[in-house]
Amino acid sequence: MSVLTVLLIEDSPAQQRLVKSYLQELEGAEVHAISHGDGGPEAAKEIQPDLIISDINLPGLNGLEICRRIKDEMDPPPPIILISTLNEDEDVQRGFEAGAAAYLGKPFTQRDLLRTVNDVLQKNMLRRQQHILVVDDSAGIRKAVTAELRDAGFRVSEATDGTEALTEASRSHPDLVLSDLNMPGADGFELCRSMKADPELSSIPLVVMSASSDRGTMRRLVHMGAAAFLVKPFSQDQAVLLIEKLLDDHVLLMLKDREQAETERRMMLDTITSLAKALDARDTYTSSHSENVARVAAAIAEEMGFEEDDLEAISLAGKLHDIGKIGIPDAVLLKPGRLTDEEFELIRRHPRIGHEILSHVPSLQDAIPAVLHHHEKYAGGGYPDGIAGTEIPLPARILAVADVWHAVYSDRPYRPAMPREKALGIIREEREQGLCPQCVEIFFTLVDSGRLPTNI
Ligand SMILES: [Fe+2]
């Protein structure tokens, strides 16, 4: 287990005790306390803490000087929280200028301290995961910008022009690209155009830096899709602040997108599931045929060791396997007597219709093979493709066992459910013929151990 190591630099014994007791809440935090400013940088290098909390007024080096030294001398420097009774705006400003990650005015409560510590640590962790690609033909500028971003905690890679940047971006997918505008070879415009044209790279924010503050150029870049513009010379803090802001916005946007996609998926799923239920009610005596097939198929798949995502896909396929019957007229689907050849042909279309319906829903793609092939026969001769054996996708073979089982072991309009033993006998007979032997075997493992889901 990784332990959080904190270096506390505070000359007042009472304050030291207080901060230490506040930090006890953080499980496993190990606090090293020193009371003289001069020992700060050395202690930090020796202990390599995850976090430094330092008073500003100290004997020897003060907190601001400690901040600057640590930023200069450690790579990467740990985040520093400055604490002080000085609470004027200028004091806070000076603290941030010296490189502090946060500033906490005394007196503060335990809640204030823990919230600040958590914020700082989370931000720092996020930074370390974030990767920035710096593109500039000038080695000097590249080095300066890279050093500053590394100090801020980012991972950084470099490229010398647009072409190299594009190769590097395709390889490593940075979280943000910071590029010079005028470069020999592919310049900033070209890089922007190429990134926006590549679906894999188009969502990566691109910040362009240039000596020109020409409005026309800036407008053109923003129009082309650049996220922001930095006019040289810019202060390092300006660059870091802008990048932090863009990345925070970008992360928020991605989280929002993901949330929205998940909501849409659920809504779509609910709609399709109710459709499947309505269809069950039209087609079968029990309105829970699809639900039962899904449960039995998922139980077989789980026994076979399917991973969670695959289990979800097979359960969905179970719920939706007969969705294609929506395209079959009542007169055929509900006909009590024998079907003519033409009518049977119509019935045989339902897996393909199901496939067609589901192919329009991106999140249901994994369920499609099972839906499409649930009427194939293990020995061949099923439909729609007449494939056999292991040519039939495994989820479809599993679904076929569950489908046949529920069909023979549930009440039908024209006959009551078969006795259980007789129904089990049919599954046994179909082994090797209609049904996959491996799936049948697992099915009987569940039956014998009493774990086969019962009908609902
Ligand atoms: Fe079917």
Side-chain angles (χ1 to χ4, degrees):
M1 193 185 101
S2 69
V3 177
L4 176 75
T5 313
V6 181
L7 172 62
L8 172 62
I9 313 174
E10 168 65 75
D11 57 327
S12 144
Q15 275 288 329
Q16 258 194 30
R17 272 198 303 277
L18 188 71
V19 173
K20 273 185 173 175
S21 73
Y22 282 176
L23 291 178
Q24 270 176 1
E25 184 90 354
L26 298 169
E27 239 160 86
E30 198 177 281
V31 184
H32 300 258
I34 58 170
S35 44
H36 201 280
D38 285 346
E42 291 318 310
K45 277 180 248 174
E46 194 190 316
I47 299 166
Q48 296 281 330
D50 303 296
L51 174 73
I52 297 175
I53 300 175
S54 175
D55 191 11
I56 291 190
N57 287 323
L58 290 164
L61 286 178
N62 69 35
L64 300 175
E65 288 162 332
I66 292 176
C67 261
R68 287 188 206 104
R69 285 269 306 268
I70 283 174
K71 271 194 80 179
D72 282 348
E73 295 169 19
M74 289 182 75
D75 183 27
I80 303 174
I81 299 175
L82 286 177
I83 49 178
S84 174
T85 42
L86 308 166
N87 282 327
E88 296 299 323
D89 282 351
E90 308 93 81
D91 303 316
V92 179
Q93 168 96 14
R94 265 204 298 276
F96 282 115
E97 276 168 9
Y103 192 102
L104 203 55
K106 291 182 194 173
F108 47 81
T109 63
Q110 180 175 29
R111 231 180 112 193
D112 294 336
L113 179 68
L114 291 180
R115 192 188 304 145
T116 308
V117 167
N118 277 327
D119 280 358
V120 165
L121 288 176
Q122 257 179 28
K123 212 168 167 188
N124 199 52
M125 200 171 72
L126 204 65
R127 294 278 168 274
R128 258 182 274 159
Q129 291 163 357
Q130 282 170 328
H131 168 205
I132 296 173
L133 173 60
V134 174
V135 193
D136 202 306
D137 56 319
S138 146
I141 292 180
R142 252 187 359 251
K143 208 170 153 216
V145 174
T146 299
E148 193 62 28
L149 292 174
R150 286 214 173 108
D151 274 0
F154 295 107
R155 286 194 295 127
V156 187
S157 57
E158 299 173 32
T160 56
D161 66 20
T163 313
E164 201 183 309
L166 215 55
T167 312
E168 174 61 19
S170 305
R171 191 188 63 80
S172 63
H173 279 90
D175 295 291
L176 184 140
V177 176
L178 178 61
S179 173
D180 188 18
L181 184 57
N182 299 312
M183 294 175 285
D187 61 9
F189 287 115
E190 181 114 26
L191 176 61
C192 187
R193 200 174 301 120
S194 309
M195 279 178 63
K196 294 301 151 193
D198 184 339
E200 295 269 300
L201 306 179
S202 59
S203 67
I204 301 175
L206 171 71
V207 178
V208 180
M209 32 184 193
S210 162
S212 151
S213 60
D214 164 34
R215 281 172 76 96
T217 306
M218 287 196 220
R219 283 245 168 86
R220 191 174 151 209
L221 277 164
V222 170
H223 182 71
M224 285 169 70
F229 202 86
L230 271 171
V231 181
K232 291 182 200 169
F234 49 84
S235 78
Q236 310 293 16
D237 284 346
Q238 254 176 307
V240 171
L241 278 176
L242 174 71
I243 287 171
E244 283 182 348
K245 174 84 176 69
L246 283 173
L247 285 175
D248 285 350
D249 290 354
H250 194 61
V251 168
L252 276 180
L253 212 66
M254 281 194 323
L255 287 178
K256 231 171 155 182
D257 276 359
R258 204 178 300 162
E259 220 169 81
Q260 197 174 346
E262 181 57 22
T263 312
E264 277 168 14
R265 196 184 84 93
R266 278 188 194 290
M267 278 168 62
M268 179 69 79
L269 216 58
D270 285 351
T271 312
I272 294 187
T273 312
S274 14
L275 203 62
K277 277 188 181 157
L279 212 67
D280 275 354
R282 168 185 173 227
D283 172 25
T284 54
Y285 193 61
T286 70
S287 63
S288 49
H289 170 68
S290 300
E291 195 63 45
N292 280 306
V293 170
R295 292 166 72 232
V296 172
I300 297 173
E302 193 174 2
E303 186 71 13
M304 283 182 167
F306 276 42
E307 297 290 332
E308 199 165 317
D309 282 356
D310 298 330
L311 277 181
E312 195 187 313
I314 203 160
S315 169
L316 267 174
K319 287 178 189 162
L320 304 174
H321 70 283
D322 276 343
I323 190 97
K325 285 187 177 169
I326 201 164
I328 298 168
D330 278 358
V332 177
L333 193 66
L334 307 179
K335 187 174 170 182
R338 248 185 95 82
L339 295 175
T340 66
D341 284 352
E342 291 80 39
E343 287 165 342
F344 192 56
E345 257 327 293
L346 276 176
I347 296 270
R348 283 160 63 109
R349 283 189 199 164
H350 80 271
R352 264 204 208 291
I353 301 172
H355 168 265
E356 174 61 25
I357 293 170
L358 301 184
S359 63
H360 298 291
V361 189
S363 56
L364 298 179
Q365 297 308 299
D366 293 346
I368 289 180
V371 172
L372 180 62
H373 293 295
H374 74 275
H375 283 292
E376 304 287 0
K377 290 190 183 306
Y378 193 74
Y383 62 90
D385 289 342
I387 48 178
T390 50
E391 272 183 300
I392 308 166
L394 182 57
R397 285 182 267 148
I398 294 174
L399 204 55
V401 174
D403 193 18
V404 172
W405 167 246
H406 192 258
V408 294
Y409 193 51
S410 63
D411 294 322
R412 288 282 155 137
Y414 42 88
R415 58 151 178 78
M418 276 180 201
R420 187 174 156 94
E421 277 315 310
K422 195 174 170 198
L424 289 172
I426 287 185
I427 301 289
R428 219 173 269 123
E429 278 164 28
E430 280 298 317
R431 191 191 143 102
E432 305 275 0
Q433 297 305 307
L435 301 174
C436 156
Q438 186 199 358
C439 301
V440 169
E441 200 170 302
I442 301 284
F443 173 84
F444 277 103
T445 308
L446 293 174
V447 170
D448 294 342
S449 59
R451 285 178 297 136
L452 188 74
T454 47
N455 286 345
I456 50 174

